[in-house]
């Protein structure tokens, strides 16, 4: 029996066949080094990188594709955005539903550069009151870093309002779009976002080892990586020209060729319809889980907007036990534990046992949702009756 996959928030699976084909072609037909040689194969490799940047720009409403640099994953992009920006004495604001990929680089900056940090609290369902964020801004605030959607709660932060607040106070905004790129509309120019970190391997349906960072043209970051770029080779310093400034070393051409196909797939389906489809699946899943004795769902209530994540707890059960049984007895893949976001668990009150996180994707079906509901029903009965 094939795995019933509910771990799309970690990495989406399966991938559209075009993604696999695109990667295969890159390896078989033009496995040369992009941006270095001027022979036909190297040019073809460079071209695919540019095509992917162009398609990403179309999807994310970016005017100049060169303002997007590729990265290994969201984490690498967030590190570049945060550590490349903050300076000694700066004040940074984020929320209490951030992933460790935001929290750890910020905490590093706190220790290494005497940066001060404020974590603004959301409510227990991950909903942010914009006035609380406003109240945290001081004359030293230089940066707000926040996710677009919590990877535990599925709640959505009001990015346009946050961006407007940033504009008024001269603060830069870095958005962690790990859970929304490809599944929730992102219009960088309209929304007023200054930096955006995104994965290629989740909602954009590309392979692991891909992601990127958008940086507005007015902002120059200190590069984290120094090295060869195939440009301005006579210069001792890292080039200022983009995307080379943030792309030292050989890029992941096969991965980016796959990502390009993933982005084209998303463009064709449209982000809006993908979101609608995923939202419908989450509502079906929530409605089913809510009927089960002993099951508590985290995040926004039924009927409210959310991304494709439905996390829940089962009374008297450790989340890892539930995930283990789902895997071993039902071939259903979910994630358990803390999902790299202890802050969000603290906020939801699930720090003791963690939570089971199920996350739908483009290829999830209604019948798979029903199988998950049925399996949780059987498991919950066992635990609820245990005590
Ligand atoms: C909100 C959020 N931020 C950052 C990350 C890190 O993403 P990546 O695995 O692409 O580095 C994740 C991963 O799940 C996430 O959910």
């Amino acid at each position: 029996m094939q795995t019933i996959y509910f771990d799309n928030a970690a990495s989406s699976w399966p991938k559209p066949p075009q993604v696999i084909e695109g990667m295969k072609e890159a390896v078989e037909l033009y496995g040369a080094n992009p941006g270095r040689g001027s022979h036909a194969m190297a040019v073809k490799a460079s071209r695919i990188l540019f095509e992917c940047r162009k398609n990403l720009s179309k999807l994310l409403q970016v005017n100049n594709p060169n303002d997007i640099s590729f990265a290994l994953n969201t984490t690498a992009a967030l590190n570049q955005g945060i550590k490349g920006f903050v300076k000694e004495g700066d004040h940074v604001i984020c929320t209490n539903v951030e992933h460790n990929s935001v929290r750890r680089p910020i905490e590093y900056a706190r220790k290494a550069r005497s940066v001060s940090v404020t974590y603004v609290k959301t409510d227990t369902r991950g909903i942010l009151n914009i006035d609380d964020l406003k109240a945290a801004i001081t004359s030293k605030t230089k940066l707000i870093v926040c996710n677009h959607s919590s990877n535990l709660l599925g709640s959505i932060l009001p990015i346009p309002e946050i961006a407007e607040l940033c504009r008024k106070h001269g603060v830069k905004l870095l958005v962690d779009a790990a859970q929304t790129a490809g599944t929730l509309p992102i219009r960088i120019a309209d929304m007023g976002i200054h930096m955006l970190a995104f994965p290629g391997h989740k909602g954009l349906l590309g392979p692991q080892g891909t992601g990127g960072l958008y940086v507005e043209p007015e902002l120059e970051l200190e590069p984290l990586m120094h090295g060869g770029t195939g440009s301005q080779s006579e210069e001792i310093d890292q080039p200022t020209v983009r995307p080379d400034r943030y792309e030292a070393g050989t890029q992941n051409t096969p991965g980016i060729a796959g990502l390009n196909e993933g982005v084209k797939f998303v463009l064709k389906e449209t982000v809006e319809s993908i979101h609608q489809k995923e939202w419908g699946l989450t509502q079906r899943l929530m409605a089913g889980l809510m009927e089960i004795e002993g099951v508590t769902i985290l995040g926004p209530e039924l009927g409210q907007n959310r991304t494709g994540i439905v996390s829940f707890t089962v009374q008297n059960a450790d989340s890892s036990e539930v995930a283990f049984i789902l895997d071993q007895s039902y071939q259903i893949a979910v994630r358990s534990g803390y999902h790299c976001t202890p802050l969000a668990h603290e906020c939801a009150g699930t720090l003791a046992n963690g939570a089971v996180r199920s996350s739908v994707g483009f290829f999830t079906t209604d019948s798979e949702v029903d199988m998950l509901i049925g399996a949780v029903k059987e498991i919950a009965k066992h635990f609820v009756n245990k005590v």
Side-chain angles (χ1 to χ4, degrees):
M1 190 181 162
Q2 179 155 319
T3 300
I4 301 165
Y5 193 75
F6 277 95
D7 197 15
N8 289 281
S11 279
S12 60
W13 187 87
K15 306 295 180 186
Q18 301 92 304
V19 170
I20 299 159
E21 206 38 53
M23 294 180 75
K24 192 164 167 279
E25 242 181 51
V27 175
E28 274 181 1
L29 304 181
Y30 56 95
N33 204 302
R36 308 298 195 265
S38 54
H39 56 82
M41 264 171 74
V43 170
K44 170 82 178 134
S46 300
R47 220 171 254 155
I48 210 76
L49 264 55
F50 188 68
E51 192 182 310
C52 186
R53 259 187 258 278
K54 244 173 54 185
N55 284 321
L56 282 164
S57 302
K58 202 166 157 190
L59 188 78
L60 301 171
Q61 205 195 53
V62 168
N63 294 327
N64 181 356
N66 288 333
D67 290 333
I68 296 174
S69 50
F70 290 116
L72 184 61
N73 45 42
T74 328
T75 304
L78 284 166
N79 269 268
Q80 174 60 72
I82 295 167
K83 294 181 195 160
F85 179 81
V86 295
K87 300 204 168 44
E88 195 85 19
D90 285 352
H91 175 235
V92 179
I93 300 174
C94 55
T95 77
N96 66 336
V97 290
E98 299 311 322
H99 191 276
N100 277 342
S101 292
V102 165
R103 191 189 185 193
R104 285 179 176 161
I106 284 181
E107 288 297 328
Y108 166 83
R110 191 207 289 263
K111 287 184 204 122
R113 296 185 198 168
S114 305
V115 163
S116 59
V117 185
T118 303
Y119 291 92
V120 174
K121 284 199 167 95
T122 65
D123 69 10
T124 54
R125 291 185 181 273
I127 310 295
L128 180 76
N129 181 343
I130 196 82
D131 289 336
D132 293 339
L133 191 62
K134 194 172 168 186
I137 297 177
T138 73
S139 58
K140 291 204 163 151
T141 309
K142 294 291 185 304
L143 181 69
I144 293 180
V145 194
C146 64
N147 63 53
H148 193 185
S149 171
S150 157
N151 65 306
L152 173 70
L153 305 170
S155 49
I156 297 166
L157 293 188
I159 297 301
E161 282 104 309
I162 298 173
E164 178 57 18
L165 201 61
C166 286
R167 196 189 58 75
K168 276 195 191 142
H169 291 84
V171 172
K172 295 295 179 191
L173 172 63
L174 166 55
V175 176
D176 169 3
Q179 293 303 335
T180 55
T183 59
L184 205 60
I186 298 173
R187 285 181 275 277
I188 286 180
D190 286 353
M191 288 177 161
I193 295 168
H194 306 113
M195 291 187 271
L196 183 122
F198 63 90
H201 62 106
K202 300 183 199 262
L204 295 177
L205 304 172
Q208 293 171 345
T210 61
L213 178 68
Y214 161 80
V215 183
E216 67 166 352
E218 296 77 19
L219 197 57
E220 187 161 296
L221 304 178
E222 196 52 47
L224 291 195
M225 296 283 287
H226 299 87
T229 55
S231 59
Q232 299 178 350
S233 294
E234 67 288 2
E235 300 287 336
I236 202 164
D237 292 326
Q238 206 60 18
T240 49
V241 62
R242 296 179 184 197
D244 306 23
R245 182 166 180 79
Y246 310 117
E247 285 185 355
T250 302
Q251 295 303 298
N252 175 8
T253 311
I256 293 166
L259 174 60
N260 186 37
E261 293 301 328
V263 175
K264 284 196 309 199
F265 185 93
V266 170
L267 281 168
K268 189 155 168 272
E269 293 292 334
T270 80
V271 174
E272 287 76 9
S273 77
I274 292 173
H275 176 57
Q276 273 314 309
K277 183 182 175 184
E278 293 194 357
W279 188 77
L281 290 162
T282 60
Q283 300 306 290
R284 186 182 183 97
L285 179 53
M286 287 175 75
L289 292 178
M290 282 165 74
E291 296 295 314
I292 305 173
E293 195 193 343
V295 170
T296 305
I297 299 172
L298 312 185
E301 298 188 32
L302 187 71
Q304 290 183 332
N305 205 9
R306 62 159 64 221
T307 49
I309 291 169
V310 179
S311 296
F312 59 92
T313 58
V314 175
Q315 197 185 332
N316 302 329
D318 191 280
S319 63
S320 55
E321 256 182 298
V322 177
F324 182 77
I325 301 169
L326 282 170
D327 179 46
Q328 296 294 305
S329 305
Y330 300 91
Q331 289 78 52
I332 296 177
V334 295
R335 197 170 153 194
S336 64
Y338 297 110
H339 318 95
C340 304
T341 182
L343 288 175
H345 278 282
E346 210 172 85
C347 154
T350 47
L351 209 46
N353 290 323
V356 180
R357 183 182 74 184
S358 56
S359 45
V360 305
F362 180 83
F363 296 102
T364 307
T365 62
D366 282 351
S367 68
E368 287 179 321
V369 167
D370 295 345
M371 282 192 258
L372 175 57
I373 296 166
V376 175
K377 201 175 201 167
E378 288 179 3
I379 296 169
K381 201 187 292 170
H382 168 76
F383 282 103
V384 171
N385 292 333
K386 211 164 104 176
V387 177

